[in-house]
Amino acid sequence: MNAIISLCHFCELHGPKILYCTQPFRPQEPKPPGTEEVETDIIHKLKSSTFAVPSSGAESAVIPSFSSSAKDRCDGCKSVQMGFVSHDDEAKVSYVSTQQPYNPEVFTRIRQACIRSLSSEVCPGREGPIFFGDTQCGHVLSYTFYIPDTQARGMHRWYSILVVMMDKIYLLNSWPFLVPHLQIVIQSLQKKARGIYDAEEAKCPQRPLRMEARVNPSNFIKQRGGSKPARSLQEITGDKNVFQMLHVAFLWILKACGSRITEKLLEGPPTEDTIIDMEKQEETEEGFIKIFTRKLDGSDLVQAESEADQDGDKSPELEINYQEELEEDYDDQFDLAVTDIRHLRKVLGRANFQALSHHVVIGNQIIVSGHERSLVKSVINVLKTLLPKGCCRVIPWSLKYEESWRCNFLGLSPDASLPQHVNSSEMFVLVEIVLKAGLASASGGTNNSSLVASSVETDDNHGTEREISSDFSSGISGPASDLSDLSLGTEGQEKFPDLEHFEFKMSSPTTLPAKVPTVLAKMLMAVDNNNLTLEVVEAAFTCLREEWMNKVKVLFKFTKAGGNRSEEDTKKLLQIVGARSEDKQLLMFWMTGLSVQYREHILAASAPGNIHK
Amino acid sequence: RSRRSKLAVAILFGSHDEKDEENYNQFQNFFFSHFALFEAHVEKLKSTIEIAYFNNRNFLPTIMEALELFRNDVYDLYMTQRLAEPVWLTMMSATTYKTKLCEKFMDTFTWLVTKFDNKNCKFFVSTLLSAVLTQHLAWVATVTPAGGTPAHTYQDKHTAKWVDTLAKTHPYNPLWAQLGDLFGAIGVPRKISRTVVVGKKADIVKKFLYVLSYFIRCSEVHENTDPQCLNLIVNEPYLDVSLSPTTKSNVGRPKVIRSCDSCRCCENSSSQSQTNCISKSSVVSESSQPDHNEVFSVGLNGIRAPSLGLSELHNYIVPHSLPIETNAFDKSLPPVISAIENVPNFPTSEVTDFSNFSEQVVRSQSFSGGKVRSRLSQQLETNIVQSSVVVNKGKSAEILKFLSKSNCGMLSSNLETSNVVKKPQEGVEDSRCVETSSGTCACISLDNRKDAEAKALNCRQSNHYVRPTYFSFSCRSVTPTGLSRRRHLSSTGSIDYEAFDPMIHCKEVKMPFAIEDCGEWQIRAFDRNFGRSLLASYSDHYLSDFVLHGTSDADYRPRLLNDLQSTVKHSILDEPIDEAVCVIADTDQWTVEVASSKVMGISPSGCTPWTSSKIVADLIESVVEISRLKMSSEFCLMHLEDRLQEIYFKSHMLSEYLTGAKTYSQRELTSMLGFETSDMALLMAVAGTHSPGLSQFLSA
């Protein structure tokens, strides 16, 4: 709690005085990001500052000028020369108790509170809690009380314990806690003092003594205390360690009051992407990667339905000794790369880009082959953003072809060739990055026979593309050439000189469905709209991915965990979630990307007995 | 010179009745926790009295009237019937009847939607929900995706860990935070929002109140039990023993070197978690062989602790510790020194001895001792940094997890300072993250360049070895508003000092034992939980204070507008607010209006009719439809939460766009980002909770 607890005393000679003061010190507020200074740990500062003070003549060096001179003090209004400190390492707080706060501003506040608490702001009966304060000087809960002392005027002395806070509401909210606990401390002091008082009184009753004594102003004080004007709290309570006790008690109150009420705040579940990351994380800790393989083919609803009842149809998990990408990273860090999705679109041309993204989002295998590893990797990385993380199974670099059930993104060495069965039966698209003919004679173009067929369907979109690019990307050679030009590397020459030597060839035996899935259409729209910065595009992708993953979740629950469903119902469901027929394939593929945690949770929730009737 | 008169008002709340202690306590608790609300009423009373004073013909009658009003308000505040089962809070704490709760909620929800979300009722449900979601923004935090949690269970909801961390390092008042949540004072600009459901048909109004109590959210508060800890502390004679430097009775007791951080962290780790322990040692190497001359692996209760370069420690401490004259130190130090001297000769098998030693912490009491200790601790820290932890094969994955978690903050900051390439961390901005582990700071503060470099080097090595695990599991980043919305203004600034108080050499005293966690219970009672006290049920008259209530009152508007005005003047949050609003849902006319203190200046009615947002309408439709397909209620609610989360993501996109754009037009915005115009109010309000800079666009 950001409060200061202080013990004050109304001294017979000097009036209201601060006796003792316990304050917490915590690290400074974290600096806003961007400031270069590393946050320093205040406990450390505190510790080291302890040593910074020269040992000799500590007294004079330490007591600041604003504190009253020795003449104004007596034992009654002194507490400790040497303070106490405790470090709470867990919370990074140090509690320091000293006679007075040494910060002038704080001192003024406490002093003000002290005076008010022992003069004007007094509870009826002069013993008990009271609240006063304002926003300037802070808010104060003051508990005044008497401690018996045979030597004192009226046989008792008047003290107060203050809790000073700037936060009024917090202070008042804590009242029901603070008051009883202050009472405990006070009662303990009173009990100790009562013991001494009774003993002294038994030895030498004060009352008759005082009645007899001839009192005049000059000898009034001397008569009672002997040579001493007033006795210290230690003496009155007969406890040498009374201030240590107070230190511990006050700091306990501060700490306990701060942690008395805790709150529980719920937050949303982590995104599927985060969970996937965590799941991958767990695997790699062992030094391998587990690849979650799920059936990609046969991914139509009917098939899924037939599987629905097989509880826990866990896909076989395959563990591949995963070669760290480490070595690869080193050599070509500064080499060519496709930086972002717009860059890729420029490099590929709009139509090819769209076709390629279409392949990506419906789960066809993407094979990127080329000599430049970094370039291959960057292309894959950019394409990955189109998919939820759970759907990305990547082998960034391989010397031989890997089956599509192992990866849907494959970086392939150009020396490798595709096996025959792959060429004939698999759903894949091959992107070859080759040096331009003029620059290298050996371009391993085995597949440049079939070119992307989808350019035809995009005619209507083409119109918008032309519009936008004529508006915003006039520096680039005419947009019409995108579609016709097959050696696409030429296009980006001015902007991306790095890549000018390369050609991107795309080929695929797979014919794409005529219609682009809804989500992809929206993504492409965002990419096409040059008014949007890359950050916005990224945010839009996140939105869309999450939105569609939510549909996928519903579908998953519906088909896998909901018992038998009729065709009719399924259709209805698709309609409800706002999916059209062209989205079906995508939904089925994305379903493979659901995290294991989610699947298990859903399947468990709908296990027999839990099924909604 | 004019003489100014002073008026004072004293209000007496029923006196202490011995016979009815329980009631008295309850009221007292209620009074102090709801003080802000009481104060608002007092302010109202005060201003009426001021006016009455200047109009002194009617002084007394006016005052009596104001007093009557005050009394009624307070009576209402204390006595009104509360919602028996606020859905959100009940679900949050329920463990057993969750399914039942979900079913009940979904049934009511679908019933209302089917019945009233149609053209005849002007799409009442979606309109009302749009308004409520726009004004009571506390739901946003509850759908903001959590960072990764190491927990294996997929919970449909997670408790936010950052709140705990925040509470430890920056104590704040959870009650106040809860109040802010409830009144929707979450975003920028800061608003205080209330909702009134008006209607003659009590059962329908009650149904709406029930459903809305799911969407008007707040955190749940718990109270720690308070065993008689303080009594023990105050009366415990142990104080004499452990604190006094001169007592001899503790010769047999382990002495404590406060300084050496590693020791402390050992101590910690044995008791609570391994985080501290491992976080302080920055390096993990799987393959490095322990060098027996310099590096010892310290096993402590089966936990791997940082091993220390002991020879250096040995060299260091002996020459410095001998000349110390202090009495206390002479007594305590010799055994320690001998222990340390012996250590380098230990074969590794005896290493546990050292760990025992390190648990014993020598408390240095005197200044000279302190000097030794500071250098010692520096030395130790350096050693720790440079030494390496030996991690065996069979170690549990947990340790690694902790390691990666607690290292993150530290690594990244160090790496930045020493220009080593920082590994990208997915999704987490460390700078904005409340640090998860308490141990990291010690390392950070070693800002000695050389150390940092050494560390960075080590870090890199460790990256090399542990790279697959190098991943940030830390908590989700706290939004800037999130941080300030938990804490009251006054606790952020003024008492955090700039410079440090000069210290006299203080005696160090051990922390008292903490409150045991034996009992932390949820505060169900309405007297200390705003979530239970400010959601009222159906009442025959309009009520001033409640976040949500239903009423059959037809003539409430003047009072409501009056309330809005006084709320702005005397904010119940004790912080300035920009606007006070109230959603008025009329189940007789099927209209939803939002009354606002701002609009009052423009039009006398102070109200603007609200329209349904497309996103919300879609959400409702989809939830109800899938529930009709007989999906389980729990799943329907999960879906509902997912859809709310989508709104959060959309607002993110919007704020991303707006921060990039210099100017924008509404039309452009909607066409480009694919929002409907009707969604803008909602999305802007949501965006205000995570991107405070957007308020300028709001006014535009």
Side-chain angles (χ1 to χ4, degrees):
Chain A
M1 223 166 62
N2 274 330
I4 296 181
I5 302 189
S6 157
L7 176 72
C8 302
H9 170 45
F10 192 95
C11 179
E12 289 172 15
L13 295 171
H14 305 110
K17 288 280 172 194
I18 307 169
L19 262 190
Y20 196 57
C21 183
T22 304
Q23 344 172 34
F25 288 95
R26 43 178 56 87
Q28 301 261 302
E29 294 287 289
K31 303 246 157 36
T35 45
E36 63 275 20
E37 197 189 337
V38 185
E39 189 195 334
T40 41
D41 183 3
I42 224 134
I43 298 178
H44 263 257
K45 239 166 142 187
L46 181 57
K47 278 176 186 162
S48 51
S49 72
T50 316
F51 316 122
V53 179
S55 59
S56 60
E59 178 92 0
S60 58
V62 156
I63 293 192
S65 52
F66 56 80
S67 82
S68 32
S69 70
K71 224 171 54 181
D72 293 342
R73 312 194 138 255
C74 55
D75 279 358
C77 41
K78 255 193 282 192
S79 59
V80 282
Q81 287 292 331
M82 189 191 272
F84 299 97
V85 61
S86 298
H87 303 292
D88 183 346
D89 294 305
E90 197 198 353
K92 291 195 253 167
V93 185
S94 292
Y95 296 91
V96 178
S97 297
T98 48
Q99 164 128 15
Q100 302 176 335
Y102 287 98
N103 179 307
E105 200 186 325
V106 179
F107 176 81
T108 322
R109 282 181 192 165
I110 304 287
R111 171 101 183 117
Q112 191 75 23
C114 163
I115 292 169
R116 288 179 74 177
S117 85
L118 291 169
S119 55
S120 53
E121 312 285 358
V122 177
C123 200
R126 301 197 115 197
E127 279 192 295
I130 194 168
F131 167 82
F132 59 87
D134 56 58
T135 40
Q136 256 83 52
C137 292
H139 301 278
V140 185
L141 193 168
S142 150
Y143 200 120
T144 45
F145 60 99
Y146 287 115
I147 289 185
D149 174 14
T150 51
Q151 304 292 310
R153 180 165 59 186
M155 319 288 255
H156 56 210
R157 291 161 170 280
W158 201 24
Y159 287 86
S160 70
I161 295 181
L162 313 178
V163 183
V164 183
M165 265 183 109
M166 298 313 289
D167 188 340
K168 175 175 74 184
I169 302 216
Y170 200 177
L171 182 60
L172 283 166
N173 283 172
S174 306
W175 178 293
F177 172 86
L178 287 172
V179 168
H181 284 92
L182 292 181
Q183 269 164 356
I184 292 178
V185 177
I186 290 165
Q187 276 158 12
S188 146
L189 289 176
Q190 284 171 334
K191 203 177 121 202
K192 283 176 180 161
R194 174 65 57 188
I196 301 291
Y197 178 89
D198 288 345
E200 284 177 354
E201 196 65 359
K203 230 195 267 169
C204 166
Q206 287 288 316
R207 198 165 290 275
L209 204 71
R210 291 192 192 181
M211 298 297 274
E212 280 167 29
R214 227 176 286 146
V215 180
N216 64 50
S218 59
N219 71 356
F220 171 73
I221 290 158
K222 276 194 185 141
Q223 248 182 4
R224 286 185 293 127
S227 55
K228 264 199 259 168
R231 303 199 290 179
S232 67
L233 190 63
Q234 281 110 320
E235 260 179 279
I236 302 172
T237 55
D239 181 359
K240 281 201 310 270
N241 297 316
V242 66
F243 286 108
Q244 280 170 348
M245 181 274 277
L246 286 177
H247 169 76
V248 179
F250 286 168
L251 89 81
W252 185 88
I253 291 176
L254 285 174
K255 190 174 157 71
C257 189
S259 57
R260 178 177 69 112
I261 294 183
T262 55
E263 67 172 337
K264 189 171 140 197
L265 181 71
L266 292 192
E267 54 188 12
T271 57
E272 276 292 297
D273 279 5
T274 318
I275 298 178
I276 293 282
D277 278 341
M278 279 158 47
E279 286 177 358
K280 286 208 177 124
Q281 186 56 30
E282 279 156 31
E283 297 141 28
T284 45
E285 263 160 25
E286 317 284 305
F288 337 26
I289 195 160
K290 243 191 270 172
I291 292 185
F292 290 88
T293 48
R294 284 145 203 145
K295 281 180 191 134
L296 289 181
D297 35 21
S299 55
D300 56 65
L301 287 173
V302 189
Q303 168 95 21
E305 274 164 40
S306 69
E307 286 174 1
D309 287 10
Q310 301 167 13
D311 199 13
D313 61 330
K314 276 201 186 158
S315 345
E317 288 161 359
L318 185 89
E319 294 181 354
I320 306 169
N321 256 324
Y322 184 60
Q323 287 188 337
E324 260 299 293
E325 311 150 32
L326 276 181
E327 320 92 67
E328 301 166 24
D329 284 350
Y330 291 146
D331 25 27
D332 46 22
Q333 262 175 5
F334 301 104
D335 277 327
L336 307 172
V338 176
T339 51
D340 55 67
I341 197 121
R342 289 225 169 100
H343 189 176
L344 185 68
R345 188 181 64 126
K346 292 246 160 69
V347 170
L348 286 179
R350 189 176 187 282
N352 278 331
F353 173 72
Q354 178 178 330
L356 185 58
S357 339
H358 196 164
H359 281 292
V360 170
V361 293
I362 60 173
N364 290 341
Q365 193 181 28
I366 312 297
I367 306 168
V368 184
S369 95
H371 280 287
E372 304 291 325
R373 281 187 194 184
S374 64
L375 190 56
V376 168
K377 228 182 122 189
S378 69
V379 170
I380 290 177
N381 280 341
V382 166
L383 289 174
K384 266 162 71 182
T385 58
L386 295 166
L387 282 181
K389 277 195 177 142
C391 292
C392 300
R393 299 184 313 279
V394 185
I395 296 184
W397 185 254
S398 167
L399 291 175
K400 62 173 179 37
Y401 173 76
E402 297 284 355
E403 301 282 343
S404 63
W405 53 265
R406 297 183 76 171
C407 60
N408 55 344
F409 291 103
L410 175 63
L412 193 61
S413 154
D415 305 326
S417 59
L418 299 185
Q420 194 50 49
H421 71 274
V422 177
N423 253 330
S424 56
S425 64
E426 289 286 337
M427 319 267 272
F428 75 94
V429 58
L430 178 69
V431 180
E432 288 171 289
I433 308 173
V434 291
L435 276 176
K436 269 203 210 135
L439 295 154
S441 52
S443 62
T446 48
N447 278 318
N448 36 9
S449 51
S450 64
L451 286 161
V452 179
S454 61
S455 55
V456 190
E457 294 112 44
T458 56
D459 269 344
D460 28 7
N461 291 336
H462 181 214
T464 56
E465 152 73 8
R466 187 194 301 272
E467 218 173 51
I468 289 161
S469 51
S470 58
D471 281 345
F472 300 103
S473 47
S474 47
I476 300 166
S477 59
S481 66
D482 295 1
L483 293 171
S484 53
D485 198 351
L486 299 178
S487 40
L488 299 148
T490 50
E491 189 213 336
Q493 266 183 3
E494 294 132 58
K495 264 206 160 170
F496 310 110
D498 284 342
L499 296 172
E500 68 186 297
H501 303 311
F502 291 94
E503 266 181 277
F504 288 74
K505 298 184 184 176
M506 263 174 61
S507 54
S508 171
T510 319
T511 26
L512 284 167
K515 271 192 145 180
V516 176
T518 319
V519 59
L520 181 62
K522 287 187 177 166
M523 282 175 164
L524 291 173
M525 229 165 77
V527 175
D528 287 344
N529 188 339
N530 283 335
N531 271 353
L532 305 180
T533 61
L534 277 172
E535 287 79 31
V536 182
V537 173
E538 206 173 288
F541 275 27
T542 313
C543 267
L544 290 166
R545 280 198 311 256
E546 291 298 324
E547 189 185 325
W548 282 78
M549 274 315 257
N550 288 342
K551 298 180 203 293
V552 167
K553 284 177 184 173
V554 174
L555 200 61
F556 175 79
K557 168 80 179 173
F558 188 75
T559 53
K560 300 265 172 177
N564 290 319
R565 300 296 194 179
S566 66
E567 190 78 18
E568 197 78 346
D569 278 352
T570 313
K571 245 185 210 152
K572 181 120 189 274
L573 185 80
L574 285 177
Q575 199 190 334
I576 290 167
V577 298
R580 286 179 233 137
S581 56
E582 63 262 30
D583 301 322
K584 240 177 173 180
Q585 203 180 355
L586 176 133
L587 289 172
M588 293 317 294
F589 171 56
W590 284 27
M591 209 185 281
T592 66
L594 283 173
S595 67
V596 175
Q597 274 192 40
Y598 185 81
R599 290 156 171 269
E600 280 171 358
H601 181 77
I602 290 297
L603 292 174
S606 56
N610 281 341
I611 291 179
H612 183 76
K613 278 137 227 158
Chain B
R1 221 173 100 185
S2 70
R3 287 176 56 193
R4 289 201 290 176
S5 38
K6 260 187 185 171
L7 294 177
V9 186
I11 298 153
L12 194 66
F13 290 95
S15 58
H16 189 158
D17 184 358
E18 299 280 335
K19 274 174 266 169
D20 204 359
E21 193 75 33
E22 201 178 311
N23 257 338
Y24 174 76
N25 280 340
Q26 191 180 47
F27 181 75
Q28 206 189 22
N29 278 330
F30 183 83
F31 177 80
F32 284 113
S33 55
H34 290 67
F35 186 82
L37 298 161
F38 279 99
E39 207 184 18
H41 288 298
V42 174
E43 290 287 350
K44 239 192 270 180
L45 179 64
K46 191 183 105 186
S47 53
T48 322
I49 292 174
E50 274 167 10
I51 294 166
Y53 180 75
F54 290 112
N55 175 19
N56 48 12
R57 194 180 302 165
N58 289 328
F59 184 59
L60 217 56
T62 319
I63 285 186
M64 292 320 285
E65 202 178 299
L67 194 62
E68 187 62 29
L69 201 68
F70 176 83
R71 190 186 294 144
N72 290 340
D73 281 345
V74 170
Y75 185 83
D76 282 343
L77 180 59
Y78 189 56
M79 297 302 284
T80 298
Q81 197 190 351
R82 266 65 183 185
L83 274 191
E85 212 177 42
V87 185
W88 176 252
L89 285 176
T90 317
M91 269 189 198
M92 194 163 154
S93 47
T95 43
T96 42
Y97 300 106
K98 212 163 183 175
T99 317
K100 280 235 170 72
L101 279 170
C102 293
E103 273 165 20
K104 188 177 169 199
F105 173 79
M106 277 311 295
D107 286 350
T108 321
F109 187 63
T110 14
W111 188 83
L112 286 178
V113 171
T114 322
K115 212 107 199 252
F116 303 121
D117 206 28
N118 51 39
K119 221 172 184 179
N120 286 340
C121 300
K122 303 174 195 160
F123 299 100
F124 184 72
V125 182
S126 43
T127 314
L128 174 58
L129 209 53
S130 303
V132 166
L133 289 177
T134 309
Q135 305 301 342
H136 295 267
L137 287 167
W139 63 269
V140 180
T142 67
V143 298
T144 308
T149 33
H152 275 256
T153 45
Y154 183 97
Q155 298 291 352
D156 42 350
K157 278 291 176 184
H158 295 250
T159 51
K161 297 282 177 297
W162 61 268
V163 182
D164 299 338
T165 322
L166 180 70
K168 276 216 178 88
T169 50
H170 304 283
Y172 66 95
N173 185 0
L175 270 182
W176 182 82
Q178 193 194 34
L179 189 66
D181 273 5
L182 266 179
F183 278 110
I186 304 289
V188 174
R190 188 160 302 166
K191 281 196 253 186
I192 283 189
S193 320
R194 302 170 49 219
T195 294
V196 187
V197 183
V198 187
K200 294 269 176 276
K201 293 183 202 108
D203 55 327
I204 289 176
V205 173
K206 278 183 182 163
K207 281 206 164 82
F208 274 110
L209 294 176
Y210 175 79
V211 165
L212 288 181
S213 73
Y214 180 75
F215 293 98
I216 298 177
R217 299 178 177 182
C218 65
S219 59
E220 180 65 293
V221 290
H222 297 257
E223 183 165 11
N224 286 308
T225 46
D226 172 35
Q228 288 293 304
C229 269
L230 188 60
N231 254 328
L232 293 177
I233 288 171
V234 167
N235 298 315
E236 187 72 6
Y238 86 96
L239 276 167
D240 293 348
V241 182
S242 65
L243 296 179
S244 160
T246 48
T247 340
K248 286 169 195 156
S249 64
N250 53 350
V251 170
R253 274 186 87 209
K255 284 277 180 180
V256 209
I257 299 186
R258 187 73 189 49
S259 57
C260 76
D261 278 53
S262 69
C263 300
R264 263 189 292 142
C265 77
C266 292
E267 205 174 36
N268 287 343
S269 63
S270 62
S271 60
Q272 21 154 296
S273 76
Q274 300 145 356
T275 324
N276 278 346
C277 165
I278 298 188
S279 71
K280 293 218 168 139
S281 64
S282 54
V283 184
V284 174
S285 59
E286 280 182 34
S287 59
S288 78
Q289 292 296 316
D291 179 350
H292 288 285
N293 291 327
E294 278 202 23
V295 180
F296 286 78
S297 75
V298 181
L300 177 67
N301 299 342
I303 297 162
R304 251 149 288 278
S307 51
L308 312 170
L310 284 176
S311 58
E312 272 186 82
L313 171 68
H314 165 69
N315 290 337
Y316 202 82
I317 194 167
V318 175
H320 277 82
S321 51
L322 286 180
I324 293 170
E325 289 151 17
T326 329
N327 234 357
F329 224 77
D330 275 350
K331 275 182 189 138
S332 62
L333 209 55
V336 174
I337 293 170
S338 64
I340 294 175
E341 275 171 346
N342 285 336
V343 169
N345 303 326
F346 282 168
T348 7
S349 56
E350 285 182 273
V351 154
T352 29
D353 288 3
F354 174 73
S355 77
N356 282 337
F357 149 70
S358 65
E359 253 183 335
Q360 317 170 348
V361 192
V362 174
R363 182 183 308 271
S364 50
Q365 267 100 6
S366 67
F367 179 64
S368 51
K371 193 168 176 185
V372 169
R373 123 190 158 187
S374 75
R375 309 187 57 180
L376 179 70
S377 74
Q378 274 176 12
Q379 189 69 19
L380 272 171
E381 273 165 27
T382 334
N383 279 337
I384 293 161
V385 165
Q386 284 162 355
S387 67
S388 50
V389 183
V390 182
V391 183
N392 290 345
K393 274 276 155 172
K395 55 183 299 315
S396 67
E398 236 170 333
I399 292 182
L400 266 180
K401 207 172 280 167
F402 269 121
L403 180 72
S404 56
K405 174 166 142 195
S406 51
N407 265 355
C408 276
M410 184 188 69
L411 286 184
S412 54
S413 41
N414 281 327
L415 290 177
E416 268 165 352
T417 52
S418 51
N419 286 329
V420 178
V421 184
K422 184 181 161 192
K423 296 286 172 206
Q425 294 186 12
E426 306 264 357
V428 179
E429 293 152 79
D430 280 295
S431 44
R432 268 167 46 176
C433 195
V434 174
E435 253 178 289
T436 36
S437 94
S438 53
T440 54
C441 241
C443 290
I444 294 178
S445 67
L446 274 182
D447 43 5
N448 184 323
R449 181 104 197 150
K450 206 173 146 198
D451 282 348
E453 264 165 27
K455 235 191 298 182
L457 202 76
N458 279 340
C459 292
R460 224 175 18 177
Q461 279 171 4
S462 79
N463 275 347
H464 196 89
Y465 291 118
V466 212
R467 207 179 92 120
T469 61
Y470 184 74
F471 201 86
S472 126
F473 271 138
S474 47
C475 54
R476 98 168 195 235
S477 55
V478 180
T479 57
T481 42
L483 194 71
S484 67
R485 292 320 304 146
R486 292 286 114 193
R487 286 190 297 158
H488 189 264
L489 265 184
S490 63
S491 47
T492 55
S494 29
I495 273 197
D496 280 333
Y497 315 96
E498 269 291 310
F500 225 65
D501 278 8
M503 301 295 311
I504 350 172
H505 34 284
C506 288
K507 239 183 263 180
E508 184 166 336
V509 174
K510 205 170 68 184
M511 286 294 290
F513 44 94
I515 316 168
E516 281 159 46
D517 281 339
C518 54
E520 180 182 272
W521 69 69
Q522 190 193 326
I523 306 171
R524 282 180 189 280
F526 79 101
D527 63 346
R528 280 159 301 152
N529 184 340
F530 291 116
R532 309 274 166 184
S533 74
L534 293 183
L535 301 174
S537 184
Y538 188 67
S539 154
D540 59 354
H541 59 282
Y542 165 84
L543 304 168
S544 284
D545 294 297
F546 294 89
V547 170
L548 174 69
H549 80 281
T551 180
S552 54
D553 204 340
D555 192 26
Y556 57 90
R557 293 215 178 211
R559 282 193 65 194
L560 189 145
L561 295 180
N562 194 20
D563 279 345
L564 291 180
Q565 263 175 334
S566 60
T567 309
V568 178
K569 253 188 247 159
H570 316 289
S571 157
I572 40 177
L573 293 175
D574 198 27
E575 274 184 9
I577 54 160
D578 297 302
E579 190 181 3
V581 295
C582 183
V583 177
I584 306 166
D586 191 330
T587 58
D588 297 330
Q589 311 292 322
W590 302 119
T591 55
V592 178
E593 290 173 294
V594 174
S596 154
S597 60
K598 273 193 177 158
V599 181
M600 281 167 77
I602 305 161
S603 83
S605 76
C607 293
T608 27
W610 209 255
T611 48
S612 161
S613 147
K614 175 88 167 29
I615 299 179
V616 176
D618 285 352
L619 176 152
I620 291 174
E621 192 194 330
S622 144
V623 169
V624 169
E625 286 296 330
I626 68 167
S627 127
R628 282 196 188 124
L629 284 175
K630 298 206 170 45
M631 311 270 261
S632 75
S633 313
E634 267 161 306
F635 183 79
C636 293
L637 280 183
M638 274 172 76
H639 181 65
L640 174 56
E641 292 299 303
D642 282 343
R643 297 298 293 258
L644 287 175
Q645 197 177 49
E646 280 177 27
I647 302 180
Y648 167 80
F649 284 123
K650 290 208 164 101
S651 77
H652 240 295
M653 179 156 84
L654 178 66
S655 83
E656 204 67 71
Y657 175 75
L658 288 180
T659 36
K662 305 243 163 11
T663 53
Y664 78 98
S665 75
Q666 189 89 358
R667 201 179 53 81
E668 198 185 332
L669 204 69
T670 49
S671 67
M672 221 152 18
L673 302 175
F675 306 141
E676 306 264 328
T677 325
S678 60
D679 300 331
M680 281 307 290
L682 175 63
L683 290 175
M684 283 306 280
V686 175
T689 65
H690 50 74
S691 323
L694 293 183
S695 49
Q696 44 172 349
F697 293 101
L698 268 181
S699 48

